[in-house]
Structures are given as structure tokens and as C-alpha cells.
Amino acid sequence: MAQIQRGTWLQEKIELLKSEFVTDDVVDGWFLMNSFQPVFWIAVAYLLFVLKLGPKIMEKREPLPIRGLMVAYNLFQIFFNGWLVWLLFTTPGSMLYVRKDICQFPGRKNNPYFLPVLTGSWYFFISKLIDLLDTVFFVLRKKQSHITFFHVFHHVNVLILSWAFLKYMKDEHAVLAGALNAFVHVWMYGYYFLAALGPSVQKHLWWKKHVTQLQISHFVIIIAYMGVLLWSRCEMLISLAIYIAITASVFLYLFTKFYFETYSKSKKVGAGEVKNK
């Protein structure tokens, strides 16, 4: 009897989740949005390469001299993420909409920002695909110690989350989380761009731990923002708010743990390297 009740409860929750799915023929037809299979196989290939195949290939080889590539990559990430943040403020009327109608129910009907928001979200999703190169570069440089569970979990989780949001949720209430994440990436990749220039520049970089503090702060803001939306009973996708809040809470814990392990007095500053995606 108890098993039947649990099964009924689970089925009810699944049906509730499905009832919140937002579909759109235009958005669902964009590149990589038609099916989960391409993203799934990209994630599988990523995990296979960075955890097994890549280290095996590099086992008896010298680290590849890719400093120039790293400089170009980090510079690209600075401008790409900066552009994502810029979109939020330069879309005509977007700030007025955020101030007056942020609690309105999402969807295409009577919402001139439906497609602009999701267009920016698609580029954000693409940025998470590009971010996978971070770990690939670790492998090619034989920095396998940087490829932790935290690092890999973060990459895969955010990639899937950004795809699932665009495919099933399509709720503009997630825009703040994405914009904050892109803003943090501007500063993070700015640090790594300068660090990639070599020891003569690295010795002047004193603000690495402040990048981690910024990462932690943006998770706190996201959690608080979702909490306010739920408390205010905004017309939004409850499943999205709960999932983002839970995910942000997990990363808040992991980044805080990393911060104290790396920058505590008993550790040397810079004892590890973790990137936030």
C-alpha cells in the first residue's frame, strides 16, 4: 500500500512538472534544441576525453605549448560574456520591463521580450558549450590535478541546466542568474587572460581570491532573488525557481568549501584552481 502511495505521489509530481513545460516552435527549432541527444553525447564525449582518453593520450607526451591559444581563448571569453551582460541593458525597454512586469507569467503572448530573452539564453547555452574547453586545455597542459569532481560536475550540470531551461522552461525570471554568471565570467577570464601572459604579469595578480569571493556572492544573490520571487508569489515556473535555488545552493557550498580550503591561513594562497561556469 505504501509503495502504491509513493508511486502515486511521484506520478503527481511528474505531471505537475510537465504542466509547467513551455514549448515554442521557433525556439525549439534552434540549433541543438530539437532533441536532448546531441547535448547528451557532447557531455559523454567530454567526460570520456577529460577523464580517460585525454590523460591516456598525454601520458607519455610533454604538455602542449598552447599559451598563445590560452591568451586568445580567455580574451574571447571576456568579450563574449561581456556582450551577454550588455544585451540585458541595451535591449530597448528591457530595464523598464524588469522594473514593472517582472512578476508576470512568462510566455510569448503579450510579451515583446519573449524571443529576445530566449535568444540571449541560447547564446548563454552556447557559452557553456565553449566553457568545456577549459578542461580540455587542462588535459593538454597535463594539469590533471585541476580536473576535480567539483570542476567536472559544475561544467556538466550548468550545460544541462542551460539547455533544459531553454527547451522546457523559457522563463525570463532566470535572466538575472544568467547575467550575473556572465558578469562573473568577465572578471574570472580577465584574471586568467592576464595570468596566461606569463610570470612577469602573474606576480602582480593579487586579486585571485576576490574572483572566488565574487563567485560566492553571485550565488547568494541568485538564491535570495529566487526566494523573493517565491515569497512574492510571482507568476513564474515554480519548478524553475526551486531547481535554480537548489543548484545555486549546492554550488555555494562547494565554492565556499573551496575558498576556505584554498585561502585559509593554513594553506598557501593559490593552492588550487577552479573555474566557475
Side-chain angles (χ1 to χ4, degrees):
M1 185 67 178
Q3 289 181 346
I4 294 177
Q5 290 178 343
R6 284 196 294 269
T8 303
W9 178 86
L10 179 60
Q11 185 177 4
E12 290 177 351
K13 298 307 177 186
I14 292 175
E15 291 301 321
L16 176 62
L17 179 62
K18 288 182 178 179
S19 70
E20 289 198 330
F21 285 174
V22 179
T23 60
D24 185 86
D25 291 340
V26 174
V27 178
D28 294 341
W30 289 347
F31 179 62
L32 295 178
M33 296 310 305
N34 185 51
S35 168
F36 179 63
Q37 289 190 22
V39 175
F40 172 78
W41 288 115
I42 288 172
V44 170
Y46 164 77
L47 292 172
L48 181 63
F49 179 81
V50 302
L51 298 179
K52 295 293 183 181
L53 185 58
K56 187 67 176 178
I57 293 173
M58 296 300 299
E59 185 177 8
K60 296 181 180 180
R61 290 178 168 84
E62 292 295 320
L64 296 186
I66 56 173
R67 176 183 292 183
L69 178 60
M70 292 294 300
V71 169
Y73 170 75
N74 289 318
L75 189 61
F76 169 80
Q77 289 281 32
I78 292 170
F79 283 102
F80 189 30
N81 283 278
W83 176 71
L84 289 175
V85 177
W86 186 248
L87 279 179
L88 177 63
F89 295 96
T90 56
T91 300
S94 60
M95 291 295 98
L96 180 62
Y97 176 81
V98 168
R99 183 170 61 85
K100 293 180 59 179
D101 301 311
I102 192 61
C103 270
Q104 298 302 311
F105 190 76
R108 179 189 285 274
K109 185 178 180 180
N110 299 323
N111 185 353
Y113 299 102
F114 180 76
L115 278 181
V117 163
L118 296 180
T119 299
S121 299
W122 183 83
Y123 282 111
F124 180 83
F125 160 65
I126 293 300
S127 77
K128 298 305 129 184
L129 281 173
I130 298 171
D131 286 350
L132 298 181
L133 290 174
D134 286 5
T135 326
V136 173
F137 291 146
F138 281 158
V139 173
L140 298 180
R141 296 163 60 210
K142 301 190 75 169
K143 301 287 187 179
Q144 205 66 25
S145 62
H146 295 337
I147 306 176
T148 62
F149 167 80
F150 176 20
H151 177 91
V152 175
F153 170 75
H154 187 72
H155 274 286
V156 174
N157 184 280
V158 177
L159 174 66
I160 294 175
L161 171 61
S162 59
W163 182 90
F165 160 76
L166 197 55
K167 178 67 174 180
Y168 296 116
M169 298 173 183
K170 301 179 178 68
D171 185 336
E172 60 258 38
H173 294 103
V175 170
L176 176 66
L180 283 174
N181 186 265
F183 175 76
V184 170
H185 274 62
V186 171
W187 291 97
M188 186 191 72
Y189 282 110
Y191 174 89
Y192 285 104
F193 166 73
L194 294 173
L197 295 178
S200 61
V201 176
Q202 291 173 6
K203 65 182 181 181
H204 299 293
L205 301 179
W206 50 267
W207 41 278
K208 181 178 180 180
K209 72 174 183 178
H210 297 302
V211 174
T212 308
Q213 291 172 347
L214 186 61
Q215 293 168 332
I216 292 171
S217 299
H218 106 283
F219 287 123
V220 172
I221 294 172
I222 290 171
I223 294 168
Y225 175 63
M226 289 299 158
V228 169
L229 291 178
L230 290 172
W231 181 77
S232 302
R233 298 184 178 180
C234 288
E235 296 183 31
M236 63 179 301
L237 302 180
I238 304 301
S239 57
L240 175 70
I242 293 175
Y243 187 70
I244 289 180
I246 292 175
T247 303
S249 297
V250 171
F251 287 131
L252 174 62
Y253 166 75
L254 292 174
F255 271 92
T256 303
K257 182 173 180 291
F258 165 78
Y259 179 83
F260 284 109
E261 288 178 349
T262 304
Y263 300 111
S264 62
K265 293 181 180 180
S266 61
K267 302 280 185 178
K268 291 183 178 180
V269 174
E273 184 175 1
V274 174
K275 290 189 176 184
N276 168 40
K277 301 302 166 287

